[in-house]
Amino acid sequence: MKIKILAFGIAKEILGGSSLKMDIAGDAITAAGLKSLLEENYPRLKQLSSFMLAVNNGYAEGNETITQTDEIAVIPPVSGG
Amino acid sequence: MMDDFLRYNCQVILPSFGHRSQLMLQQAKVLVVGAGGLGCPAAQYLAAAGIGTLGIADFDTVSARNLHRQILFSPNEVGLKKVEVACGRLTQQNPQITIVAHDLQITWQNAADILGTYDLVLDCTDNFDTRYLLNDTCVLLKKPLVYGAIYQFEGQVAVWNVANSDGTRSPNYRDVYPAVNASQIPSCAEGGVIPTIAGIIGCMQANEVIKYFANAGDLLAGRILMFDAQTMQSRIIRIGTVTKTNITAGAQPFETPFITARELTQEIGSDKYLLVDVRNLEEHEAFNIGGLHIPLNEVEMQPTLLNTGKPVVFYCASGKRSAVAVQIAKKLLPGVSFFSLQNGLDAWLKD
């Protein structure tokens, strides 16, 4: 399946834009699975130590299933003030 | 009393507000940590709205490079203590409230004592160490923390650690970001920031504080609001109702060893230290004081360059990035001595 991922903060730079289409084998993936796949494809995400993955505007983790119609957002921490 | 009536009438007549809510604001004790881009507008609105006791904590001085978004300060105040200028201005703005100046850095030694005297804290800081320190201290002291953070055109707002009716607490910063590698997240000085996002997010923080004490509307508890000033889109991410963290002790942040500009000037010809500029390439090419150039986000990839047998002095513009570099490098090479040039090239140029 093809999923669309929105990027925020420094993730825009790491993922190369404010949104990205990604090919995933099969027709579903868990939140944890997508997180590790992203970290594998974009090692700088792993270097952040933590980033938030939001699915349909909800914090997503663990076994939560993601399918093609879901809206996915990668939201890294922000420090400025 | 007549003064109060006139001053606050337009908010008192709001639906779900009233004199009772105004009294709650008057009795509230609120601490703003950081008198910067977020803290300036947040404090101005909280003072204007009649928060009874308003504390401002900051240890820094007014800097020309931040005037574009730190709207309590003027060019003729560059170099003065931010907390003094801010408190003076806020007192003029609302002489009826109590303004408390805390001219210090919040550290793990003093955090509980200072935060303990307030009902609610605003995180208007510009670095992760202090954000985690405020978060953990507020969790331990059972106080709500109104969080704001900005980068380029984007901002985040949330209210952490609010009491739920069953005695549990709403999520906190560590539910969303358990740990952060600060060297990989650019600050406003590196990535840039549009001044108005500081105003927008700072006002949203003040908005949540007023709602909290006036018991009006729905707080951003268990949720984090994201705002993008480029597209003007906002979205609210649901985190959950109850925190999953178990914070039992305050984080003891790493204490950065410093070297002052004066100390470094005396040693500059002696080859005693390995100097490393951690700013970006444009900044390095515009002006530098020699040594290696390793941008902050590449420091962790360069252990061999840093391991020369000499103590290392990292430097940047203000001393913030070099302090993060010391933390990162010390983890890589525990046997090497690392120092951060205190207050960066700003201090170097002044001396």
Side-chain angles (χ1 to χ4, degrees), chain A residues 6 8-10 12-13 44 47-52 54 56-59 61 71 75-81, chain B residues 37-38 69 125-126 128 131 149-151 154 156 175 177-181 185-186 226 235-238 244 300:
Chain A
L6 305 174
F8 291 86
I10 189 68
K12 279 185 185 169
E13 197 184 302
R44 280 182 65 198
Q47 278 183 291
L48 300 178
S49 291
S50 62
F51 65 90
M52 169 167 43
N56 303 325
N57 290 334
Y59 182 83
E61 59 182 347
E71 187 202 59
I75 307 168
V78 171
S79 78
Chain B
L38 297 169
R69 68 180 185 284
T125 62
D126 61 357
F128 289 111
R131 290 191 186 282
I150 51 175
Y151 172 69
E154 289 177 32
Q156 302 183 347
D175 280 283
Y177 301 117
V180 173
N181 177 352
I185 312 281
M226 320 262 308
R235 61 176 64 223
I236 293 176
I237 312 289
R238 300 176 309 279
K244 292 176 182 164
E300 63 190 354

Side-chain angles (χ1 to χ4, degrees), chain A:
Chain A
M1 65 172 176
K2 222 180 188 79
I3 54 169
K4 188 182 171 191
I5 298 170
L6 305 174
F8 291 86
I10 189 68
K12 279 185 185 169
E13 197 184 302
I14 298 173
L15 269 54
S18 57
S19 79
L20 156 98
K21 288 258 165 65
M22 199 166 154
D23 277 314
I24 307 273
D27 51 15
I29 188 168
T30 63
L34 179 60
K35 239 180 161 168
S36 18
L37 192 63
L38 282 165
E39 288 179 346
E40 214 173 281
N41 292 355
Y42 302 94
R44 280 182 65 198
L45 278 181
K46 198 178 170 70
Q47 278 183 291
L48 300 178
S49 291
S50 62
F51 65 90
M52 169 167 43
L53 192 68
V55 176
N56 303 325
N57 290 334
Y59 182 83
E61 59 182 347
N63 289 327
E64 186 173 334
T65 311
I66 295 166
T67 58
Q68 191 154 359
T69 52
D70 291 326
E71 187 202 59
I72 300 142
V74 171
I75 307 168
V78 171
S79 78

Side-chain angles (χ1 to χ4, degrees), chain B residues 32-278:
Chain B
V32 177
V33 182
L38 297 169
C40 285
Q44 280 180 296
Y45 276 95
L46 292 175
I51 292 290
T53 304
L54 187 58
I56 312 288
D58 201 299
F59 64 96
D60 219 345
T61 53
V62 177
S63 157
R65 75 175 81 240
N66 295 329
L67 287 177
H68 82 130
R69 68 180 185 284
Q70 301 189 354
I71 54 166
L72 279 169
F73 312 124
S74 313
N76 61 351
E77 289 155 346
V78 167
L80 299 180
K81 279 281 183 180
K82 279 159 79 175
V83 77
E84 282 168 24
V85 180
C87 288
R89 199 124 311 147
L90 294 168
T91 306
Q92 277 180 349
Q93 196 191 345
N94 192 346
Q96 293 169 317
I97 62 171
T98 305
I99 312 270
V100 185
H102 298 277
D103 178 10
L104 45 75
Q105 183 164 19
I106 305 283
T107 63
W108 66 271
Q109 290 99 332
N110 66 21
D113 282 346
I114 294 169
L115 273 57
T117 60
Y118 290 91
D119 303 317
L120 176 147
V121 180
L122 278 84
D123 174 0
C124 298
T125 62
D126 61 357
N127 67 86
F128 289 111
D129 276 350
T130 317
R131 290 191 186 282
Y132 281 113
L133 175 63
L134 295 179
N135 182 74
D136 296 354
T137 308
C138 282
V139 169
L140 293 170
L141 296 174
K142 298 188 166 33
K143 292 184 193 291
L145 176 66
V146 180
Y147 154 86
I150 51 175
Y151 172 69
Q152 293 185 341
F153 293 89
E154 289 177 32
Q156 302 183 347
V157 192
V159 188
W160 309 127
N161 197 43
V162 178
N164 294 317
S165 53
D166 62 357
T168 58
R169 289 270 158 175
S170 74
N172 64 68
Y173 192 57
R174 286 196 193 269
D175 280 283
V176 182
Y177 301 117
V180 173
N181 177 352
S183 73
Q184 299 301 311
I185 312 281
S187 65
C188 293
E190 297 158 89
V193 65
I194 188 162
T196 42
I197 191 71
I200 292 165
I201 299 297
C203 284
M204 285 187 178
Q205 289 179 273
N207 184 62
E208 293 305 291
V209 176
I210 295 169
K211 278 159 59 186
Y212 177 84
F213 288 107
N215 206 4
D218 298 323
L219 287 180
L220 281 169
R223 304 178 298 158
I224 178 166
L225 182 141
M226 320 262 308
F227 181 78
D228 182 344
Q230 242 173 340
T231 58
M232 296 305 277
Q233 275 185 327
S234 66
R235 61 176 64 223
I236 293 176
I237 312 289
R238 300 176 309 279
I239 312 294
T241 26
V242 181
T243 179
K244 292 176 182 164
T245 60
N246 181 25
I247 297 163
T248 53
Q252 295 195 0
F254 180 83
E255 304 236 349
T256 311
F258 289 112
I259 182 165
T260 63
R262 191 150 299 159
E263 286 163 354
L264 188 61
T265 326
Q266 284 158 6
E267 295 291 346
I268 196 81
S270 74
D271 210 30
K272 181 177 169 191
Y273 296 106
L274 171 67
L275 287 177
V276 181
D277 184 358
V278 295

Side-chain angles (χ1 to χ4, degrees), chain B residues 22-45:
Chain B
Q22 190 60 44
L23 192 64
M24 299 303 283
L25 295 188
Q26 219 170 308
Q27 288 168 353
K29 293 179 177 172
V30 173
L31 176 65
V32 177
V33 182
L38 297 169
C40 285
Q44 280 180 296
Y45 276 95

